[in-house]
Amino acid sequence: MNIDLELYRVFYVVAKNKHMIKASEELHISQPAISQSIKKLEEQLGGTLFLRSNKGMGLTEEGKMFYEYVKGALELINNAENEFTSFKNLTKGEIKIGCSTTLTKLILVDVLKEFHKDYPNININITNNLTSNLINDLKLGKLDFVIFNESNIKETNLYLEKIKELKQGFIYNPEFFNDEINSIDELNKSTLILQKEESNSRKLLDYIALQNNTKLIPKMEVVSQELIIEFVNIGLGVGFAIIDLANKNHKNLKELKINKKIPNINVYLGTNKFISLTFASKMFIKYLKTI
Amino acid sequence: MNIDLELYRVFYVVAKNKHMIKASEELHISQPAISQSIKKLEEQLGGTLFLRSNKGMGLTEEGKMFYEYVKGALELINNAENEFTSFKNLTKGEIKIGCSTTLTKLILVDVLKEFHKDYPNININITNNLTSNLINDLKLGKLDFVIFNESNIKETNLYLEKIKELKQGFIYNPEFFNDEINSIDELNKSTLILQKEESNSRKLLDYIALQNNTKLIPKMEVVSQELIIEFVNIGLGVGFAIIDLANKNHKNLKELKINKKIPNINVYLGTNKFISLTFASKMFIKYLKTI
DNA sequence: ATTCACTATAAGCCCTCCTTATGAGTATTA
DNA sequence: TAATACTCATAAGGAGGGCTTATAGTGAAT
């Protein structure tokens, strides 16, 4: 049938107000414009919707039936617009993040805290898994984006972007300690604070030490980088941590200049080329990049 | 928000077809027109609904949500149009008729038979009651129209129209009987066939006879006018019936010319000024007037 | 009879939406 | 790797339609 849908809006407003004049005020158009629209609608439907009188516009029986449908339709449209606005304003939405366990602790937790403070109504769903599995879920559309730290991924269906480069190193508090250590095998002289052996970060470090024919023997082993940083800050010893993380909490902490190069942690963001990011995801990624 | 509703139709068709080109074919407009409409809709909403690619148009997450609402809305509009058409074509509808008991038998039954044959899907609801009660129901909008035979009704909220004038009289079949009777008191000479005493028609007749200082003594008393007509036709005697009704069944039947004037039955149609007649009612009234 | 409160009609203008033509981007194919 | 073949986007111009103002028409009320 394909009747101009705007005519339905006019019909609805006239039926609701029972007067063309009132409808014309609500729609910000003139009364004759209303009259013409109603006439056109009735002509195209092939029947009468309204009874005209000097008391206004009354619906016919068929018009009443019609009104119920049209009212429902316009309410749906209204809901659509409102919902869209909610998503846009981030008062509604969901984010499905894939993130390696390491990076969840290293980065995501902080970002999450900030984001949730600003947009408390967005549901956040975090999947921790092997990067390869996460990438797969991303391709299947099960995840909005993935944060990982491997660079050897080649996928034509994904957009990959390096969003962060985290420098790691040995940190100390110059208040309590001097930068006397220059090589990795001298580290055992100090009070060394490392993460427990099961952590990825510790494994990497042990591997580097091994290449140097050394084994690092920590005086303290703790669970989180945060703790290492705190211990270093109060002068308990030298710790291994992400430099940026350490400096974020305590600007005074410094990095030991040792001869062995310790590789940086590259943080990548992966998104699906064929699935758009939701408003919420876009905002979250903005937070990811700036925090 | 008041976004042009036609944009929603375009959105719907594009989302459904996943290609602007296909949508343009369905809507019989050019592809650039589609492109412009989608662009406009997105601008007015303030966000993206589609992901464009060389493979077509894919919905964003927000777009998918949007689609569900818009689809629902357009289906409602479609239902409204279809339902309206059904009412218009009289494949759907209801008629609420108020009719005095006498006239129901005299007129309505025949009309009903024809109407129902032509429009079997229209529900018909008949209320038999005193005319005054029917008129009241009509004013309250409980009835679509009322058929009655009193002329002393004055109602400003109703349209009253005389739709039929039924002549009553004594009928005979000239094959078996001669027109020898000239006055009402001579009728008892013949084999008189009347309705039973409880019928209104008989009561009227007895009243007229009484005014003539006569009492009619039927040789046969039957229930319906139809039976009287049939009996008269096969030559059983002289009957009292509605002339038009008699002639409809048997054209050969004739009316006795007697000196006493027998009043006609005036049939009136009453409708409510402030409530429109449904398509079905209009058609039924057309049948009423022609049958 | 006059006024009032509506809607309908008329005529003209301007906007907007559509059209054609073209551009730009990205897979697919040879 | 160049050609091809799909997309959708952009540009510019023209025609139709919906808007406006002004006025007529209608029925009810005073």
Side-chain angles (χ1 to χ4, degrees), chain B residues 36-101:
Chain B
Q36 288 162 28
S37 289
I38 296 296
K39 186 183 173 191
K40 192 174 176 188
L41 177 59
E42 288 182 328
E43 277 172 358
Q44 296 195 21
L45 283 172
T48 311
L49 291 165
F50 287 105
L51 288 170
R52 282 81 162 161
S53 81
N54 58 340
K55 287 184 173 176
M57 307 283 282
L59 286 167
T60 62
E61 284 302 310
E62 290 83 10
K64 284 177 194 163
M65 170 280 294
F66 209 73
Y67 179 70
E68 292 306 315
Y69 283 99
V70 171
K71 189 179 159 200
L74 291 177
E75 277 168 5
L76 277 179
I77 292 288
N78 209 38
N79 286 346
E81 290 172 354
N82 289 338
E83 191 110 336
F84 191 85
T85 306
S86 292
F87 277 101
K88 206 178 56 172
N89 298 341
L90 303 183
T91 54
K92 214 163 186 177
E94 191 187 4
I95 309 179
K96 287 167 286 180
I97 307 173
C99 191
S100 67
T101 321

Side-chain angles (χ1 to χ4, degrees), chain B residues 246-262:
Chain B
N247 284 331
K248 200 165 67 184
N249 295 329
H250 303 288
K251 285 183 181 168
N252 55 317
L253 301 187
K254 292 207 168 166
E255 184 185 359
L256 278 185
K257 305 252 184 314
I258 62 166
N259 59 345
K260 192 70 193 175
K261 173 83 180 157
I262 295 163

Side-chain angles (χ1 to χ4, degrees), chain B residues 102 105 192-207 215-228 231 239-241:
Chain B
T102 325
K105 285 185 197 163
L192 199 54
I193 310 169
L194 301 180
Q195 279 190 271
K196 300 207 172 190
E197 282 184 330
E198 57 265 32
S199 82
N200 279 336
S201 159
R202 172 69 184 276
K203 281 175 190 161
L204 172 73
L205 196 55
D206 287 342
Y207 177 70
K215 187 174 161 56
L216 293 174
I217 301 159
K219 303 284 188 302
M220 298 179 73
E221 285 188 324
V222 296
V223 179
S224 75
Q225 295 226 355
E226 271 86 359
L227 263 182
I228 295 177
F231 288 175
F240 185 75

Side-chain angles (χ1 to χ4, degrees), chain A residues 40-56:
Chain A
K40 192 174 177 189
L41 178 60
E42 288 183 328
E43 277 172 359
Q44 297 195 22
L45 283 172
T48 312
L49 291 165
F50 287 105
L51 287 171
R52 282 83 162 158
S53 81
N54 57 342
K55 287 183 173 178

Side-chain angles (χ1 to χ4, degrees), chain A residues 42-236:
Chain A
E42 288 183 328
E43 277 172 359
Q44 297 195 22
L45 283 172
T48 312
L49 291 165
F50 287 105
L51 287 171
R52 282 83 162 158
S53 81
N54 57 342
K55 287 183 173 178
M57 307 283 282
L59 286 167
T60 62
E61 284 302 309
E62 289 83 10
K64 283 177 195 164
M65 170 281 292
F66 209 74
Y67 179 70
E68 292 306 315
Y69 283 100
V70 171
K71 189 178 158 200
L74 291 177
E75 276 168 6
L76 278 179
I77 293 289
N78 208 37
N79 285 346
E81 291 172 353
N82 288 339
E83 191 111 334
F84 191 86
T85 306
S86 292
F87 277 102
K88 205 178 59 172
N89 297 341
L90 303 183
T91 55
K92 212 161 185 178
E94 190 187 4
I95 310 179
K96 286 166 288 181
I97 307 172
C99 191
S100 67
T101 322
T102 326
L103 289 183
T104 301
K105 285 184 195 163
L106 285 183
I107 309 175
L108 209 55
V109 171
D110 283 342
V111 177
L112 222 78
K113 199 158 58 184
E114 284 300 306
F115 185 84
H116 185 260
K117 196 184 72 195
D118 296 346
Y119 306 108
N121 298 312
I122 304 291
N123 292 327
I124 296 172
N125 185 316
I126 298 172
T127 303
N128 290 132
N129 206 332
L130 293 175
T131 299
S132 60
N133 291 336
L134 294 176
I135 292 291
N136 207 42
D137 282 356
L138 183 61
K139 285 197 285 184
L140 294 172
K142 291 182 183 174
L143 295 171
D144 292 329
F145 55 89
V146 166
I147 303 160
F148 60 97
N149 59 338
E150 290 166 36
S151 55
N152 59 339
I153 293 183
K154 280 174 190 167
E155 291 284 352
T156 52
N157 297 336
L158 303 181
Y159 290 123
L160 301 178
E161 183 190 0
K162 190 165 104 177
I163 56 169
K164 263 191 164 57
E165 188 165 347
L166 302 173
K167 254 173 78 181
Q168 302 176 104
F170 293 94
I171 52 170
Y172 67 98
N173 187 341
E175 253 185 80
F176 303 98
F177 196 73
N178 296 325
D179 183 4
E180 304 165 329
I181 296 166
N182 298 312
S183 69
I184 201 160
D185 46 302
E186 291 175 50
L187 278 162
N188 285 333
K189 292 181 193 166
S190 66
T191 305
L192 198 55
I193 311 169
L194 301 181
Q195 278 190 271
K196 300 208 169 189
E197 282 185 330
E198 57 266 32
S199 83
N200 279 337
S201 159
R202 172 69 184 279
K203 281 175 190 162
L204 171 74
L205 195 58
D206 286 343
Y207 177 71
I208 292 168
L210 193 65
Q211 283 183 315
N212 250 34
N213 301 315
T214 305
K215 186 171 161 56
L216 294 175
I217 301 159
K219 302 284 189 301
M220 299 178 72
E221 284 187 324
V222 297
V223 178
S224 74
Q225 295 226 355
E226 272 86 358
L227 263 184
I228 295 177
I229 293 161
E230 289 308 315
F231 288 175
V232 169
N233 187 52
I234 60 174
L236 298 189

